[in-house]
Amino acid sequence: MSSSSAATVGVKESSTEKRGLWSSRLAFVLAATGSAVGLGNIWKFPYITGENGGGAFVIVYLLCIAGIGIPIMMAEVLIGRRGGHSPINSMRLAAQREQLSKGWTIVGAVGVLAAFLILSFYSVIGGWAISYVGTAATGGLVGQSEEAIGAIFSGLLGDPATLLLWHTVFMALVIVVVARGVKAGLERAVTFLMPALFVLLLIVVGYAMTTGSFGRAVSFLFAPDFSSLTTAGVLVALGHAFFTLSLGMAVMMAYGSYLPKNVSIAKTAVTVSIIDTVVALTAGLAIFPIVFANGLEPGAGPGLIFQTLPLAFGNMPMGSLVGTLFFVLLIFAAWTSGISLLEPLVEWLEEQKGLNRTVSAVGAGIACWALGIVSILSLNVWSDVTPLGMFAMFEGKTIFDLLDFLTASILLPLGGLLVAVFAGWFMSRQALESELATSPGAFKLWYNTLRYFTPVAVAAVFVYNLL
Ligand code: PHE
């Protein structure tokens, strides 16, 4: 069955064997964690939490992870493993097996497009982190006032040439790894560097406890005030659940295609989601005490961590060392995520267009790099350009903001919704059961959540926001 369907879609049958599999469940957990844990947890989660008023936003976000993110992650990994090809072709195979329309391929395509768009600005932010390694290592943060730290950040944003340099370096790092094949090096990097990043985050939390504002930060993060949450905030929380778990853009499908058959998809998805959530909440605990202790604005936006963490590094013992290490590890976290963003497109170019891996990685990477220049310019030269500003919803949104909105708030939830509907309503129950191989109770819970709760919740948030 699988050979005939593979042949009809024009996918070389031998490719499944040639692709190789992750060496173990642990290897997959590491790679998926490497994709999930990144700038989303440490850079984005704190600043959107600050912008959306704290506790109530965090609760909605946690509900989205549990009720929407985890079921969809399981579905994506399942489709990827069953298909055994690049996301677009895995979707095509899955649809064909159920004798459904080829139109379902669109799910993979939306994902590949979203990943491409995200990487273009993700790399720019990764570049910020690279720039801060230099600042921290040369003692540039020591004893600096809050104003001076703010000036360092606005100086960076106002300097397109420097931004371009670090964006280029970041993208080159991503291209090199993807060109050489994802597995080599990735497993090892995640095994050592992720725990190291977490330890440094805990050191910052330790410092944050000495600022006298720890209690205030804890209640900001965990005591919900629902009056501060808007419907737009709910959409941001939903979109971020997808972003932070790397969902809705075929990444987990691409990684799932390398997963050995005997590994439990459910356990794996839950493990990855828990690690990801713990890292995000820890980042919040590290950052908000510093925000409050220094009278900074929680809703300061995308610069939040770059205006708060340097204050901590500038004031703690051995801060230059801790700060340097922190930003180096942040780059690694962003790197392993960036790799996973380029992978689906490269996998598809290889498989469908018959290009070799190096050519695909370099070509796709350069295209993405070029698009990133638009984001760089929108931070300075074009900071007043708001292309959709005539619509109330997009007022004041720069091109950078729009790219973020289009991907995180539209494309990812849409991709996720389609995955949930496809797996929940169109794939045969028997196929899902045999692929998941969990207890009947766990299967039912997942199946019903995916069929009813997940699509309805995502659609409701969408509709509510658009009306
Ligand atoms: N999950 C990553 C993060 O939180 C970002 C990412 C999104 C990576 C989508 C891959 C795919 O930083």
Side-chain angles (χ1 to χ4, degrees):
M1 168 73 201
S2 81
S3 64
S4 67
S5 48
T8 31
V9 292
V11 176
K12 283 180 227 87
E13 186 52 21
S14 60
S15 60
T16 311
E17 288 93 76
K18 268 201 315 209
R19 303 163 88 240
L21 298 175
W22 301 108
S23 54
S24 63
R25 164 161 187 263
L26 182 65
F28 175 82
V29 169
L30 289 171
T33 307
S35 169
V37 175
L39 295 170
N41 308 62
I42 292 169
W43 161 70
K44 196 169 183 194
F45 172 75
Y47 95 74
I48 56 177
T49 299
E51 283 180 340
N52 289 286
F57 176 85
V58 173
I59 289 190
V60 174
Y61 160 77
L62 292 176
L63 289 175
C64 290
I65 296 277
I68 299 173
I70 295 179
I72 291 183
M73 188 187 289
M74 290 169 59
E76 281 197 21
V77 175
L78 187 157
I79 295 172
R81 180 164 82 180
R82 208 169 132 75
H85 288 90
S86 76
I88 295 181
N89 283 324
S90 286
M91 274 307 297
R92 188 179 312 203
L93 280 173
Q96 210 157 40
R97 281 191 177 137
E98 312 290 340
Q99 298 178 341
L100 299 169
S101 144
K102 274 215 271 186
W104 282 104
T105 320
I106 188 86
V107 179
V110 167
V112 169
L113 172 69
F116 181 79
L117 296 175
I118 290 179
L119 181 59
S120 77
F121 66 83
Y122 201 83
S123 168
V124 174
I125 315 291
W128 296 0
I130 300 182
S131 150
Y132 271 76
V133 170
T135 315
T138 52
L141 303 175
V142 177
Q144 297 285 19
S145 67
E146 182 210 316
E147 290 78 39
I149 295 284
I152 294 176
F153 184 68
S154 25
L156 175 66
L157 290 203
D159 180 356
T162 305
L163 290 173
L164 181 64
L165 171 66
W166 299 129
H167 164 55
T168 308
V169 171
F170 186 88
M171 195 63 92
L173 289 171
V174 170
I175 293 174
V176 167
V177 176
V178 176
R180 294 184 52 210
V182 162
K183 284 197 303 167
L186 193 63
E187 290 183 16
R188 221 169 317 137
V190 180
T191 320
F192 297 106
L193 300 173
M194 289 284 165
L197 176 64
F198 192 67
V199 169
L200 285 189
L201 210 49
L202 291 179
I203 293 179
V204 183
V205 174
Y207 168 81
M209 286 176 166
T210 68
T211 59
S213 297
F214 196 72
R216 187 157 164 218
V218 170
S219 53
F220 178 76
L221 281 172
F222 299 111
D225 164 15
F226 281 94
S227 66
S228 60
L229 187 67
T230 60
T231 43
V234 174
L235 179 60
V236 174
L238 174 73
H240 189 62
F242 284 98
F243 186 90
T244 192
L245 295 179
S246 305
L247 297 179
M249 66 197 103
V251 168
M252 290 298 165
M253 248 184 237
Y255 278 18
S257 71
Y258 302 102
L259 188 65
K261 288 283 177 207
N262 58 355
V263 170
S264 157
I265 291 178
K267 270 191 215 151
T268 311
V270 171
T271 311
V272 173
S273 305
I274 290 177
I275 297 174
D276 187 79
T277 306
V278 168
V279 174
L281 295 176
T282 311
L285 287 175
I287 284 155
F288 284 106
I290 305 172
V291 171
F292 294 126
N294 294 281
L296 297 169
E297 176 51 51
L304 187 68
I305 71 159
F306 295 94
Q307 287 157 335
T308 49
L309 292 177
L311 281 169
F313 301 136
N315 288 306
M316 66 168 70
M318 300 206 299
S320 292
L321 179 65
V322 177
T324 308
L325 279 176
F326 180 87
F327 286 114
V328 168
L329 293 168
L330 183 59
I331 295 166
F332 272 102
W335 192 8
T336 52
S337 301
I339 290 165
S340 73
L341 284 164
L342 193 57
E343 175 67 15
L345 178 57
V346 169
E347 212 179 308
W348 180 76
L349 286 173
E350 257 188 313
E351 203 173 83
Q352 200 68 18
K353 303 286 168 209
L355 299 174
N356 78 35
R357 185 158 261 273
T358 310
V359 173
S360 312
V362 172
I366 290 180
C368 198
W369 170 86
L371 182 62
I373 296 176
V374 174
S375 291
I376 290 183
L377 293 174
S378 98
L379 296 170
N380 36 66
V381 183
W382 294 342
S383 60
D384 295 330
V385 179
T386 54
L388 297 180
M390 61 279 207
F391 302 105
M393 194 171 169
F394 300 119
E395 218 184 294
K397 283 199 191 298
T398 62
I399 302 175
F400 179 86
D401 299 332
L402 288 175
L403 269 177
D404 176 44
F405 181 82
L406 171 68
T407 50
S409 296
I410 310 270
L411 291 177
L412 304 190
L414 188 66
L417 178 66
L418 291 173
V419 167
V421 170
F422 180 77
W425 291 92
F426 289 91
M427 286 177 76
S428 80
R429 184 179 169 134
Q430 196 195 354
L432 298 173
E433 258 169 337
S434 76
E435 198 71 46
L436 272 194
T438 51
S439 69
F443 179 80
K444 259 207 176 132
L445 174 65
W446 171 75
Y447 193 54
N448 288 324
T449 311
L450 193 74
R451 278 165 76 87
Y452 303 104
F453 180 76
T454 310
V456 171
V458 175
V461 176
F462 259 144
V463 171
Y464 215 79
N465 263 280
L466 296 180
L467 296 185

